[in-house]
Amino acid sequence: MTHLRILDSITDRGDPRRPNEDASGGAANCAFVIDGATGLGENIIDEAESDAAWLAKFAAVTFEEDALAGCAVAKSVRKINERVSRIIGDLAGSMPVDPWNLPCAGFQMIRVEKDGIVSHGLGDCRLFLQDALGATHALSAIEGGAAAENEEAKRAVAHAGGLTKFRSLSTEPEIRAELRRRRALYNTDGGPVWTLGANPEAASHIVSQPLPATLPARGLLCTDGFAALVDLYGRYDAASLIERARTDGLVPLLAELRAIEQREDPDGQAYPRFKVSDDATAVLFEIVGDRAVSGRR
């Protein structure tokens, strides 16, 4: 019998003036992180701190409940997005909602299934996994997504002259307009990304990958704000990040992350990005049981 155990978790808002739009959770057979995309307009859901925070929390509860019930991940995603679509429609009534203003969120999950260990995801969250023989996996539902965003951020920082004035470049008018244009393409045929949100068809676009592993295996699930330690700041690779988390816990890693952003490079010149600090969430887990899991589905 193969089991997944969560060893540590951490989450931290990137801006003390805004809600944390990340979420995480798990059950005996899975762990996951969710990264809500910061809105580019007014909230649709009035009682929420933000639409993205509301979506992340709602999806986390649904994932946990469905994992315990043995529900397939695609079925959970379709259920989440159908419910969100109905809620948005009820609230908006006859008023049209701009596509760029629909709430959306990425997620990454690792799950122990009957035939092995499988990763599932939408968007740019990250999974780092190392098995007992040292074989390492570094996965995202958007392969190369971090590098592409880094290039976009480099252009945006150059245009805005740095992060000092704006803290989040999404408030700069021209950059905001471009972000809205790109966000409007989410969850559309031929668009750049499918997400948790208001389109149930996203369930057909989940990126799933079997993961052969010799157990015990350890790993980290991270939103892109935490994975920046690997993908943007280059302080670790997948194996060394997992080892540091295993030996020292996640608190020192978060402190290191924030020191880079807030003391070393608050203006975004050394490490171009859209915000001084993004929300950052990580889950450290261990998978134990049979010596080897094929990963075949």
Side-chain angles (χ1 to χ4, degrees):
M1 185 68 71
T2 303
H3 297 283
L4 184 147
R5 300 194 297 234
I6 293 177
L7 304 177
D8 195 6
S9 65
I10 200 166
T11 189
D12 184 63
R13 68 181 67 192
D15 186 337
R17 300 166 298 181
R18 290 192 50 81
N20 188 341
E21 295 171 333
D22 286 355
S24 66
N29 65 337
C30 75
F32 59 84
V33 294
I34 300 170
D35 185 357
T38 298
L40 299 173
E42 297 297 322
N43 277 357
I44 301 169
I45 301 166
D46 292 335
E47 69 272 18
E49 289 186 285
S50 79
D51 290 350
W54 172 84
L55 173 59
K57 291 172 184 174
F58 171 66
V61 170
T62 304
F63 277 150
E64 288 187 334
E65 291 175 347
D66 284 1
L68 291 172
C71 183
V73 176
K75 186 175 180 180
S76 296
V77 169
R78 188 171 296 277
K79 179 165 68 174
I80 290 165
N81 288 15
E82 286 175 346
R83 179 73 185 277
V84 171
S85 179
R86 287 197 300 270
I87 291 171
I88 296 297
D90 289 345
L91 291 171
S94 61
M95 297 294 292
V97 177
D98 289 313
W100 52 260
N101 206 29
L102 292 168
C104 57
F107 81 94
Q108 191 71 41
M109 177 184 294
I110 188 164
R111 181 161 153 157
V112 177
E113 302 185 354
K114 63 180 182 179
D115 293 326
I117 301 168
V118 185
S119 74
H120 302 279
L122 291 169
D124 60 0
C125 296
R126 293 284 263 153
L127 167 64
F128 303 115
L129 179 73
Q130 185 171 52
D131 75 2
L133 298 181
T136 302
H137 301 274
L139 302 175
S140 172
I142 306 177
E143 292 300 333
E149 180 164 339
N150 292 348
E151 286 302 312
E152 292 167 3
K154 187 182 298 185
R155 291 191 292 270
V157 167
H159 171 80
L163 290 169
T164 302
K165 180 179 177 181
F166 295 99
R167 290 191 63 83
S168 174
L169 295 185
S170 65
T171 61
E172 197 280 333
E174 290 186 34
I175 295 172
R176 189 178 188 84
E178 175 60 16
L179 291 174
R180 285 178 172 180
R181 184 194 68 79
R182 276 190 256 145
R183 183 78 60 87
L185 299 176
Y186 286 15
N187 300 300
T188 62
D189 291 334
V193 63
W194 291 83
T195 70
L196 300 172
N199 188 343
E201 183 58 25
S204 301
H205 296 270
I206 296 169
V207 177
S208 300
Q209 182 171 337
L211 299 174
T214 300
L215 302 183
R218 293 188 180 90
L220 279 167
L221 290 155
C222 310
T223 59
D224 63 339
F226 197 96
L229 284 167
V230 173
D231 294 326
L232 180 56
Y233 308 135
R235 302 302 167 95
Y236 300 90
D237 59 14
S240 60
L241 185 70
I242 294 168
E243 179 61 19
R244 178 80 192 282
R246 185 187 70 83
T247 56
D248 297 338
L250 295 172
V251 171
L253 284 167
L254 178 63
E256 182 177 1
L257 176 78
R258 296 311 191 209
I260 295 167
E261 295 166 342
Q262 297 169 13
R263 294 202 294 273
E264 290 184 30
D265 186 40
D267 197 36
Q269 298 296 332
Y271 304 108
R273 53 200 189 275
F274 285 97
K275 303 174 183 176
V276 175
S277 292
D278 197 1
D279 298 336
T281 298
V283 175
L284 176 67
F285 63 87
E286 181 179 48
I287 302 173
V288 297
D290 300 334
R291 290 184 61 83
V293 177
S294 70
R296 290 192 297 273
R297 303 179 68 186

